Amino acid sequence: MSVFFPLLLFFAVTLFFGFAFSVAVLRERRIFALWPLGVLIGINGYIFLVNITSYAVPLRMGAWLVLALMLLAAAALGKAAFGPNQSVFVPSGLEVRQLRLLFGVAFLISAVSGIIALRTLQYEDLSLGHLPLAATMVAGNFPVMDPSAPEKPMVYHYASDLFSAALHIVAGTPLWLGYDIQTFFMSGALFLMAFLLAFHLRRNFWSSLAAAFLLFYGGGLIWLYFTEGLDPLWQTYVLGHAVSAPWKFVAAMTIPQLWSGFVFIMNNHAIEIGLAITVFTLYCCVRALKSAEQRWLTFTLVGA
């Protein structure tokens, strides 16, 4: 119980900051866009600011200081974004049943991903660059030095480890749980972010939903190997020739495709955060190219 309320406070502050920022600065009020933008800006913004701040103050102080500053900023942004005469949401162009389906799929992905993460401990987690590294950060290893060579700076992406360490400092969560929480939030947010990007390009609910789904479960173009099956199938079933294993192209077409989907590598926490930020950056880039609004170009550069 002692962990629950600090954890609730942490996400209340970071997510409210993300939502208020999305409305006040990005001027986005569509409900299906606010959730992924709010999660990505809130959580990754916290990691980014803690990383910068902790070069000037100890990490234990920086984790709390950034949370306090985000609370103040969220209050100021919220006052501007959610005024008495302003509607929180605007029509999204989607029907209610479509929104329910979209958020239902996103929640299902988050829930399943989070449960699997809670029930497993990957080798990736136990490697020197993750759980042990996060433990050294909690103990004061910042700027981050390589635990295997303490005289050398850590030349490795440590955003997920910094988040787990900061969450442990603020909420007292076990370090391993911080990684699993990232999996829960980032998996659903990435799905919705992919949908948002596709919807902005196509303006079609079903094709956008399929695009987001394929990002998880069918990445890549390996399925184009089906063209190798056209000739043996024609020879076998049209011309009646005896062809050895005419369906062997299916193996080449499906097995690599299954392993190229994000769902098979999402236990890698750096990819988990990095791919979500990449899709966010692509979305900002598309918005910048399709409009003359400076803020989208700015966020393309910030995301990159």
Side-chain angles (χ1 to χ4, degrees):
M1 188 65 72
S2 61
V3 171
F4 176 76
F5 289 108
L7 195 63
L8 186 64
L9 172 66
F10 176 86
F11 284 108
V13 172
T14 53
L15 296 183
F16 181 62
F17 172 83
F19 297 146
F21 190 95
S22 300
V23 175
V25 179
L26 300 182
R27 300 171 194 168
E28 179 60 78
R29 291 180 181 268
R30 294 172 299 172
I31 188 170
F32 70 88
L34 275 179
W35 179 256
L37 291 175
V39 169
L40 294 180
I41 292 172
I43 293 177
N44 292 309
Y46 177 80
I47 298 171
F48 179 75
L49 293 172
V50 167
N51 185 60
I52 292 176
T53 305
S54 298
Y55 279 95
V57 300
L59 177 60
R60 283 188 171 274
M61 183 186 298
W64 282 104
L65 178 62
V66 169
L67 196 65
L69 292 174
M70 289 182 81
L71 178 59
L72 294 174
L77 290 169
K79 187 176 181 181
F82 309 115
N85 298 320
Q86 294 176 300
S87 174
V88 177
F89 303 118
V90 298
S92 61
L94 299 181
E95 299 175 11
V96 173
R97 62 183 182 84
Q98 292 175 329
L99 287 172
R100 287 175 178 169
L101 176 61
L102 176 64
F103 278 98
V105 173
F107 177 77
L108 183 63
I109 288 174
S110 284
V112 171
S113 302
I115 291 170
I116 292 173
L118 284 168
R119 300 281 295 176
T120 57
L121 190 62
Q122 301 285 342
Y123 171 76
E124 176 78 16
D125 299 327
L126 299 174
S127 64
L128 189 60
H130 291 293
L131 272 171
L133 179 63
T136 68
M137 289 180 183
V138 173
N141 180 19
F142 206 98
V144 185
M145 308 301 284
D146 190 339
S148 63
E151 73 283 359
K152 295 182 179 179
M154 190 68 181
V155 188
Y156 190 70
H157 39 256
Y158 56 78
S160 58
D161 314 296
L162 180 58
F163 175 81
S164 184
L167 196 62
H168 173 79
I169 291 169
V170 171
T173 55
L175 290 172
W176 58 265
L177 182 59
Y179 294 104
D180 298 339
I181 290 173
Q182 289 174 69
T183 299
F184 175 81
F185 277 99
M186 290 298 159
S187 56
L190 173 59
F191 176 81
L192 289 173
M193 196 70 236
F195 174 87
L196 179 60
L197 173 60
F199 188 77
H200 188 73
L201 293 171
R202 293 284 300 163
R203 299 291 176 183
N204 181 276
F205 173 80
W206 294 108
S207 63
S208 301
L209 189 69
F213 189 82
L214 288 173
L215 175 69
F216 270 73
Y217 299 102
L221 298 174
I222 201 73
W223 55 272
L224 290 175
Y225 271 116
F226 84 88
T227 56
E228 293 189 358
L230 297 179
D231 182 64
L233 292 178
W234 180 268
Q235 297 256 1
T236 301
Y237 296 105
V238 177
L239 301 181
H241 297 168
V243 177
S244 176
W247 290 95
K248 66 180 180 181
F249 71 94
V250 174
M253 186 181 78
T254 57
I255 295 176
Q257 179 188 10
L258 288 175
W259 286 102
S260 67
F262 171 73
V263 70
F264 290 97
I265 55 174
M266 65 188 301
N267 65 292
N268 185 312
H269 307 295
I271 294 176
E272 196 171 71
I273 292 178
L275 184 57
I277 295 174
T278 299
V279 176
F280 167 78
T281 304
L282 288 172
Y283 174 72
C284 292
C285 183
V286 170
R287 290 292 298 263
L289 292 173
K290 296 183 74 172
S291 71
E293 297 176 272
Q294 179 67 34
R295 65 181 182 276
W296 290 111
L297 178 58
T298 300
F299 273 88
T300 300
L301 298 176
V302 170

Short mmCIF file of all heavy atoms in Angstrom, two decimals, residues 271-300:
data_model
loop_
_atom_site.label_atom_id
_atom_site.label_comp_id
_atom_site.label_asym_id
_atom_site.label_seq_id
_atom_site.Cartn_x
_atom_site.Cartn_y
_atom_site.Cartn_z
N ILE A 271 14.34 -0.58 -27.05
CA ILE A 271 13.52 -0.59 -28.27
C ILE A 271 12.10 -0.15 -27.93
O ILE A 271 11.46 0.58 -28.69
CB ILE A 271 13.53 -1.98 -28.92
CG1 ILE A 271 14.94 -2.30 -29.44
CG2 ILE A 271 12.51 -2.07 -30.05
CD1 ILE A 271 15.08 -3.69 -30.02
N GLU A 272 11.63 -0.58 -26.78
CA GLU A 272 10.27 -0.26 -26.34
C GLU A 272 10.05 1.25 -26.29
O GLU A 272 9.05 1.77 -26.79
CB GLU A 272 10.10 -0.87 -24.95
CG GLU A 272 8.70 -1.00 -24.44
CD GLU A 272 8.74 -1.82 -23.18
OE1 GLU A 272 9.22 -1.31 -22.15
OE2 GLU A 272 8.31 -2.98 -23.23
N ILE A 273 11.00 1.95 -25.68
CA ILE A 273 10.91 3.41 -25.60
C ILE A 273 11.29 4.04 -26.94
O ILE A 273 10.62 4.95 -27.44
CB ILE A 273 11.82 3.96 -24.48
CG1 ILE A 273 11.28 3.55 -23.12
CG2 ILE A 273 11.94 5.48 -24.57
CD1 ILE A 273 12.14 3.99 -21.96
N GLY A 274 12.37 3.54 -27.54
CA GLY A 274 12.89 4.15 -28.77
C GLY A 274 11.94 4.08 -29.94
O GLY A 274 11.80 5.05 -30.69
N LEU A 275 11.26 2.95 -30.11
CA LEU A 275 10.34 2.82 -31.24
C LEU A 275 9.13 3.74 -31.06
O LEU A 275 8.65 4.35 -32.02
CB LEU A 275 9.88 1.37 -31.41
CG LEU A 275 8.99 1.09 -32.63
CD1 LEU A 275 9.69 1.49 -33.92
CD2 LEU A 275 8.59 -0.39 -32.69
N ALA A 276 8.65 3.86 -29.82
CA ALA A 276 7.52 4.76 -29.56
C ALA A 276 7.90 6.21 -29.88
O ALA A 276 7.13 6.95 -30.50
CB ALA A 276 7.08 4.64 -28.11
N ILE A 277 9.11 6.62 -29.48
CA ILE A 277 9.56 7.98 -29.77
C ILE A 277 9.77 8.16 -31.28
O ILE A 277 9.50 9.22 -31.83
CB ILE A 277 10.86 8.29 -29.00
CG1 ILE A 277 10.58 8.30 -27.49
CG2 ILE A 277 11.44 9.63 -29.42
CD1 ILE A 277 11.81 8.46 -26.64
N THR A 278 10.25 7.11 -31.95
CA THR A 278 10.45 7.18 -33.40
C THR A 278 9.13 7.42 -34.13
O THR A 278 9.05 8.26 -35.03
CB THR A 278 11.12 5.89 -33.92
OG1 THR A 278 12.38 5.73 -33.28
CG2 THR A 278 11.32 5.94 -35.42
N VAL A 279 8.09 6.67 -33.75
CA VAL A 279 6.78 6.85 -34.38
C VAL A 279 6.24 8.24 -34.06
O VAL A 279 5.66 8.91 -34.92
CB VAL A 279 5.80 5.75 -33.93
CG1 VAL A 279 4.41 5.99 -34.52
CG2 VAL A 279 6.31 4.38 -34.36
N PHE A 280 6.44 8.71 -32.82
CA PHE A 280 6.03 10.06 -32.44
C PHE A 280 6.76 11.09 -33.32
O PHE A 280 6.14 12.05 -33.80
CB PHE A 280 6.35 10.30 -30.97
CG PHE A 280 6.26 11.75 -30.54
CD1 PHE A 280 5.02 12.34 -30.31
CD2 PHE A 280 7.40 12.52 -30.36
CE1 PHE A 280 4.93 13.67 -29.91
CE2 PHE A 280 7.31 13.85 -29.97
CZ PHE A 280 6.08 14.42 -29.74
N THR A 281 8.04 10.89 -33.54
CA THR A 281 8.83 11.82 -34.37
C THR A 281 8.34 11.81 -35.81
O THR A 281 8.22 12.87 -36.45
CB THR A 281 10.32 11.45 -34.32
OG1 THR A 281 10.76 11.44 -32.96
CG2 THR A 281 11.17 12.44 -35.10
N LEU A 282 8.02 10.63 -36.33
CA LEU A 282 7.49 10.54 -37.69
C LEU A 282 6.16 11.26 -37.81
O LEU A 282 5.89 11.95 -38.81
CB LEU A 282 7.32 9.07 -38.09
CG LEU A 282 8.60 8.29 -38.36
CD1 LEU A 282 8.28 6.80 -38.56
CD2 LEU A 282 9.32 8.83 -39.59
N TYR A 283 5.33 11.12 -36.77
CA TYR A 283 4.03 11.82 -36.77
C TYR A 283 4.24 13.33 -36.79
O TYR A 283 3.60 14.04 -37.56
CB TYR A 283 3.23 11.40 -35.54
CG TYR A 283 1.94 12.18 -35.38
CD1 TYR A 283 0.86 11.94 -36.22
CD2 TYR A 283 1.80 13.14 -34.38
CE1 TYR A 283 -0.33 12.64 -36.08
CE2 TYR A 283 0.61 13.84 -34.23
CZ TYR A 283 -0.45 13.59 -35.09
OH TYR A 283 -1.62 14.29 -34.95
N CYS A 284 5.14 13.82 -35.96
CA CYS A 284 5.44 15.27 -35.94
C CYS A 284 5.99 15.73 -37.29
O CYS A 284 5.66 16.82 -37.77
CB CYS A 284 6.43 15.59 -34.83
SG CYS A 284 5.80 15.37 -33.16
N CYS A 285 6.83 14.89 -37.90
CA CYS A 285 7.41 15.23 -39.20
C CYS A 285 6.32 15.34 -40.26
O CYS A 285 6.31 16.29 -41.06
CB CYS A 285 8.44 14.17 -39.58
SG CYS A 285 9.29 14.51 -41.15
N VAL A 286 5.40 14.37 -40.26
CA VAL A 286 4.30 14.41 -41.24
C VAL A 286 3.43 15.64 -41.01
O VAL A 286 3.04 16.33 -41.96
CB VAL A 286 3.46 13.12 -41.14
CG1 VAL A 286 2.18 13.24 -41.96
CG2 VAL A 286 4.27 11.93 -41.61
N ARG A 287 3.15 15.95 -39.75
CA ARG A 287 2.36 17.15 -39.45
C ARG A 287 3.09 18.41 -39.89
O ARG A 287 2.49 19.36 -40.39
CB ARG A 287 2.05 17.23 -37.94
CG ARG A 287 1.08 16.19 -37.42
CD ARG A 287 -0.34 16.41 -37.95
NE ARG A 287 -0.93 17.66 -37.55
CZ ARG A 287 -1.74 17.82 -36.52
NH1 ARG A 287 -2.04 16.77 -35.75
NH2 ARG A 287 -2.29 18.99 -36.25
N ALA A 288 4.42 18.43 -39.71
CA ALA A 288 5.21 19.60 -40.12
C ALA A 288 5.20 19.77 -41.63
O ALA A 288 5.11 20.89 -42.14
CB ALA A 288 6.64 19.46 -39.61
N LEU A 289 5.28 18.65 -42.36
CA LEU A 289 5.30 18.72 -43.82
C LEU A 289 3.95 19.11 -44.40
O LEU A 289 3.88 19.73 -45.46
CB LEU A 289 5.74 17.37 -44.40
CG LEU A 289 7.19 16.97 -44.14
CD1 LEU A 289 7.44 15.55 -44.62
CD2 LEU A 289 8.16 17.93 -44.84
N LYS A 290 2.86 18.73 -43.70
CA LYS A 290 1.53 18.98 -44.22
C LYS A 290 0.91 20.28 -43.70
O LYS A 290 -0.22 20.61 -44.02
CB LYS A 290 0.61 17.81 -43.89
CG LYS A 290 1.05 16.50 -44.55
CD LYS A 290 0.09 15.38 -44.26
CE LYS A 290 -1.20 15.50 -45.02
NZ LYS A 290 -2.06 14.31 -44.90
N SER A 291 1.66 21.01 -42.88
CA SER A 291 1.16 22.28 -42.36
C SER A 291 2.32 23.25 -42.24
O SER A 291 3.49 22.87 -42.30
CB SER A 291 0.48 22.10 -41.00
OG SER A 291 1.44 21.82 -40.01
N ALA A 292 2.00 24.51 -42.06
CA ALA A 292 3.03 25.53 -41.92
C ALA A 292 3.26 25.89 -40.46
O ALA A 292 3.86 26.92 -40.16
CB ALA A 292 2.62 26.79 -42.70
N GLU A 293 2.81 25.03 -39.55
CA GLU A 293 2.90 25.34 -38.12
C GLU A 293 4.28 24.98 -37.59
O GLU A 293 4.71 23.83 -37.66
CB GLU A 293 1.81 24.60 -37.36
CG GLU A 293 0.40 25.02 -37.78
CD GLU A 293 -0.66 24.20 -37.07
OE1 GLU A 293 -1.02 23.14 -37.59
OE2 GLU A 293 -1.09 24.62 -35.99
N GLN A 294 4.96 25.97 -37.03
CA GLN A 294 6.33 25.82 -36.58
C GLN A 294 6.47 24.79 -35.47
O GLN A 294 7.49 24.10 -35.37
CB GLN A 294 6.86 27.18 -36.10
CG GLN A 294 8.29 27.18 -35.57
CD GLN A 294 9.30 26.89 -36.67
OE1 GLN A 294 9.10 27.29 -37.81
NE2 GLN A 294 10.38 26.19 -36.33
N ARG A 295 5.43 24.65 -34.61
CA ARG A 295 5.59 23.78 -33.45
C ARG A 295 5.81 22.32 -33.84
O ARG A 295 6.51 21.60 -33.14
CB ARG A 295 4.37 23.91 -32.52
CG ARG A 295 3.07 23.43 -33.11
CD ARG A 295 1.93 23.62 -32.10
NE ARG A 295 0.67 23.12 -32.61
CZ ARG A 295 -0.15 23.80 -33.38
NH1 ARG A 295 0.18 25.03 -33.75
NH2 ARG A 295 -1.30 23.28 -33.79
N TRP A 296 5.25 21.90 -34.97
CA TRP A 296 5.43 20.50 -35.38
C TRP A 296 6.85 20.25 -35.86
O TRP A 296 7.42 19.18 -35.62
CB TRP A 296 4.42 20.13 -36.45
CG TRP A 296 3.04 20.06 -35.91
CD1 TRP A 296 2.01 20.90 -36.17
CD2 TRP A 296 2.54 19.11 -34.97
NE1 TRP A 296 0.89 20.55 -35.46
CE2 TRP A 296 1.19 19.43 -34.71
CE3 TRP A 296 3.09 17.99 -34.32
CZ2 TRP A 296 0.40 18.71 -33.84
CZ3 TRP A 296 2.29 17.27 -33.44
CH2 TRP A 296 0.98 17.62 -33.21
N LEU A 297 7.46 21.22 -36.54
CA LEU A 297 8.87 21.10 -36.94
C LEU A 297 9.75 21.05 -35.69
O LEU A 297 10.70 20.27 -35.61
CB LEU A 297 9.28 22.25 -37.84
CG LEU A 297 10.74 22.28 -38.28
CD1 LEU A 297 11.12 21.01 -39.02
CD2 LEU A 297 11.03 23.52 -39.12
N THR A 298 9.44 21.90 -34.71
CA THR A 298 10.20 21.93 -33.47
C THR A 298 10.16 20.56 -32.79
O THR A 298 11.21 20.05 -32.35
CB THR A 298 9.64 22.99 -32.51
OG1 THR A 298 9.72 24.26 -33.15
CG2 THR A 298 10.44 23.03 -31.22
N PHE A 299 8.98 19.96 -32.71
CA PHE A 299 8.88 18.68 -32.03
C PHE A 299 9.45 17.53 -32.85
O PHE A 299 9.84 16.51 -32.31
CB PHE A 299 7.43 18.41 -31.63
CG PHE A 299 7.11 19.01 -30.30
CD1 PHE A 299 6.66 20.32 -30.20
CD2 PHE A 299 7.33 18.30 -29.14
CE1 PHE A 299 6.40 20.89 -28.97
CE2 PHE A 299 7.07 18.86 -27.90
CZ PHE A 299 6.62 20.16 -27.81
N THR A 300 9.51 17.69 -34.16
CA THR A 300 10.24 16.71 -34.97
C THR A 300 11.70 16.69 -34.56
O THR A 300 12.31 15.63 -34.38
CB THR A 300 10.12 17.06 -36.47
OG1 THR A 300 8.74 17.06 -36.84
CG2 THR A 300 10.86 16.05 -37.32
#
